[in-house]
Amino acid sequence: ANRRQGSANTKTRAEVSGGGKKPFAQKGTGRARQGSSRTPLKPGGGVSFGPKPRDFSLKMNKKEKRLAIAASLQNAAPDMTVVEDYDDKFADGPATKEFASALKRWGVDWEREHALLIHDGASDNAVLSARNISRLVQRPANNLSVYDVLRASKIVVTSSAMGKLEEQYGAGAGDE
């Protein structure tokens, strides 16, 4: 539900242009009385109970959300690879080819399976290097979602991000 845009919209009889004048006299014509030509019963009229823009987002408790992320990370632990921080390798500039080959070395087949890269505030060049790789989603450790964790076949975590994950979701995260 949170992913729904909620922008569907229709015009009611009040919002459709025109229809200000009574189409014909109330009495004496033999026809059913009409007050507007924009009634929902007529072509060109408004829509009775059509969609209006609304917010479909659902509220979730913070502790509940933290517990869900902790459980999904624990479930994904066998598919997780911890690598050393790679920011210094991209000091010269972004290099997507190098990043793609590094992913292959880490056992991520990004051409066939979805992968999640969890970092701890990577440098701009590192982020740019990974941005154009298909099926790779990169997230900072403090901005994870259960959907990203569950969708990924392989998860690559930098060592600094692993420390942050253990601190935030580690042992005792669900005990509060």
Side-chain angles (χ1 to χ4, degrees):
N2 282 348
R3 300 187 73 181
R4 285 189 69 170
Q5 201 170 4
S7 60
N9 195 11
T10 53
K11 287 189 164 140
T12 64
R13 61 183 292 163
E15 295 161 339
V16 176
S17 65
K21 184 167 97 46
K22 194 169 173 61
F24 47 82
Q26 177 86 343
K27 301 173 80 65
T29 61
R31 297 185 59 188
R33 55 195 185 176
Q34 297 279 307
S36 169
S37 57
R38 297 304 182 206
T39 167
L41 308 175
K42 287 186 168 262
V47 177
S48 298
F49 295 104
K52 287 287 172 194
R54 61 186 173 131
D55 184 11
F56 284 95
S57 59
L58 302 172
K59 180 194 170 284
M60 190 173 186
N61 298 330
K62 286 180 187 173
K63 290 180 183 178
E64 212 175 12
K65 191 183 282 188
R66 198 173 342 150
L67 183 62
I69 292 173
S72 64
L73 284 171
Q74 198 170 10
N75 194 31
D79 301 320
M80 207 176 279
T81 309
V82 180
V83 297
E84 81 270 352
D85 292 334
Y86 47 78
D87 282 350
D88 52 334
K89 294 182 177 56
F90 297 101
D92 312 347
T96 305
K97 272 187 192 173
E98 286 177 29
F99 205 94
S101 63
L103 283 173
K104 290 274 191 209
R105 284 196 307 275
W106 297 331
V108 176
D109 186 11
W110 52 267
E111 293 166 328
R112 289 193 182 84
E113 58 191 10
H114 289 276
L116 173 63
L117 176 66
I118 303 172
H119 55 78
D120 183 29
S123 69
D124 289 344
N125 285 337
V127 169
L128 290 172
S129 299
R131 185 171 66 177
N132 200 30
I133 297 176
S134 61
R135 296 184 191 84
L136 176 71
V137 175
Q138 46 183 339
R139 295 276 181 262
N142 59 358
N143 191 18
L144 279 181
S145 77
V146 176
Y147 176 78
D148 289 332
V149 175
L150 292 178
R151 186 170 188 227
S153 307
K154 291 271 194 278
I155 299 177
V156 178
V157 187
T158 62
S159 51
S160 61
M162 193 64 180
K164 205 166 232 181
L165 288 178
E166 284 172 356
E167 176 188 316
Q168 201 166 5
Y169 307 111
D175 299 342
E176 296 173 19

